[in-house]
Amino acid sequence: MNPRNLLIFILLFPILGAFVGLILGKKEEKYRDVFNVLMTGITFAVVTFLYKYVAVQTIEVSVPYIMGTGLHLKLDVFRYIFVWITSFIWFLVTIYSTQYLISYKNRNRYYLFFMLTLGSTIGIFISENFLNLFTFFEIMSLTSYALVIHDEDEYSHEAGDSYIVMAVSGGLILLMGLFLLYDYTNTLEISQLQLAVQNMGNMKYFISALIIIGFGVKAAMVPLHIWLPKAYTAAPTPATTILSAILAKTGIFGIMITVNIIMDGDFIISSVILVIGFLNMFIGGLLAMLQRNLKRILAYSSMSQIGYILVGIGLAGILKEHAAIALYGTLYHVINHAIFKGILFMSAGVIYMVLHELSINKIGGFGRDKKALKVLFFIGLLAIIGMPGFNGYTGKTLLHTALSEAHHMYGGIWFTIAEVVFTISSSFTVAYLLKIFVAVFVEKSDHHIEEAKAKITKNALFPMGILATVVIYIGIQPNKILKLTEKALEPFGKLHHVEPHFYSSSHVMTAIFTILLGVSVYLLFVRKFLRKGSGEHWWYENTALQWFNIEKHVYKPAWKVIFRVSSVVLKAIDVGLIKTVTLFSDGFKALTLMEIKDENTLLGSVTRLGQVAMGKKEGYITKDNPVVRNVKQEVGQLSRKMNSVTYSIFVFAVVLVVCLFIMIK
């Protein structure tokens, strides 16, 4: 079987299957549900089958005349990690969705956009051309927007507004970066850009900043994270699981490509990413402790966990040839986060299916007698806090080892502070997960909510059980994943091989110390200051509601100022254009144009027209004049550039129109 054909298959099958499912759903929803499970299962099976080819050599496919520059797909082991975890999680979430969405409206529409999002997400991870990647990235933003606003109530539309505004703004900034990148390098092939940017000078910092901001929005990178708590809370739980476990990784993927491959781990860029990563870890963890809505807690938790991955990306840059340990930790946490966050969000979804409520002030005690749900959530808890024997421990251990290596290499107080922030942020994780677990699965409340009767079906628990099994397997056999990550480092250049010792006494003791510190934070801060009441009559307060709000106090006022200033500037430009058009129309009156037969005649006529308009009727510039030849070259180059952009915008516009038509209908 030709692996190149299989690569095209995993891209097109979910996209085409989305419309087949739409047709089936209009006739019989059971057929659609079965078809969707089979489709995602087949996609996952094909991706798994592809590993035997990818492990030997990179798979590449080029299709000319698509998006101007052609469609260039590539699958190596690095990209395979993202594609595999995407297809795996999507398959399980599709099974979960068949139970979760039973009482929801517009299920057919939901599944259409759910599957289109899968296809575009895979497209992002296998795109070798940055223009292809951008096109799939924007399509994914649009299709996932339909998932965020699925409930169509006031809150979901508000969340959707924040999501789509940030996504489109980030996309435009990313596109600007790609325009400049192409202008300076004359290529958008990712494998060629590392060499092409070497002689770019300081301009590479501006370009990389634009690209990182574009991807950073999707990764919920501080301060671009404002959409995350709203969107995660508003979307149906299966969509929230995908947003956290997978779609955030599209931003991470783009940042890794930019920082560690194209910019070759530039020290300045890597240092900025490192600082932002620590901010994500700390701020996300702190805000998660203060929340009361279960999904909102987990949303800020995702923001914090993304911080660990950003720290790994930054450390890989500053460690240079010793970057292997940081990249191992980064890729481990990409995998681990998708798995344990899948368990936690699905657990929240099960609670919502029964109670239609997620405030821990109202669901306290619900899980006291729900043994299967309690065990599964507890496994997810142990994984995310980094308990030895569970998958989260492996990634965090590698990242902390990389941080210690950087501290040893560079020294100084800043890395000492970084170690402290890493430990405190990890303790926050323990505190907010204990807040959930104790409130929902241990304590009694005066709501008597544990008496709620509802059958939690196998369709909901089975995917969580699979993920819990993987959590334990990776925790016990971390070297199995290590073999995969070793092969994934090829795109990052020649690196010194390292042999991590996951369960050394120092690593285990560090993990236990952090967990105990987290328990202390829970007891001394969460229980003492945030929890109110006594006995069975208790509740939590959210003191962060009165804090500074970056969206309310910065972004919205800034948008208003930008809009007003832009209106004045554009009005002035319009006046200037009107004067210019008037000037050139006077030139038309003074000039009788010859019949335009070819490009040279056209350029000569336009040049003469400009002279007449400017009052320079003498000295007609011929086609052999160097000025004309330069104009011809510029026109040709501009035409080639705009051709690619036009195709991409056209593809995006078509998808936009189709999506809007379906949503309105």
Side-chain angles (χ1 to χ4, degrees), residues 596-612:
I596 298 174
K597 296 182 179 180
D598 55 33
E599 183 186 21
N600 294 332
T601 306
L602 173 61
L603 290 171
S605 301
V606 172
T607 305
R608 188 178 177 201
L609 172 61
Q611 290 180 330
V612 173

Side-chain angles (χ1 to χ4, degrees), residues 241-278:
T241 305
I242 292 301
L243 283 167
S244 174
I246 303 301
L247 299 196
K249 306 305 188 303
T250 61
I252 290 297
F253 176 78
I255 294 172
M256 287 190 76
I257 289 287
T258 305
V259 177
N260 300 126
I261 296 180
I262 295 176
M263 298 301 167
D264 197 22
D266 180 88
F267 185 84
I268 295 175
I269 300 174
S270 299
S271 299
V272 172
I273 295 296
L274 182 63
V275 172
I276 293 174
F278 281 116

Side-chain angles (χ1 to χ4, degrees), residues 448-462:
H448 302 291
I449 207 73
E450 68 270 20
E451 298 175 4
K453 301 295 182 181
K455 183 179 180 181
I456 302 175
T457 66
K458 294 179 181 179
N459 284 359
L461 294 179
F462 173 74

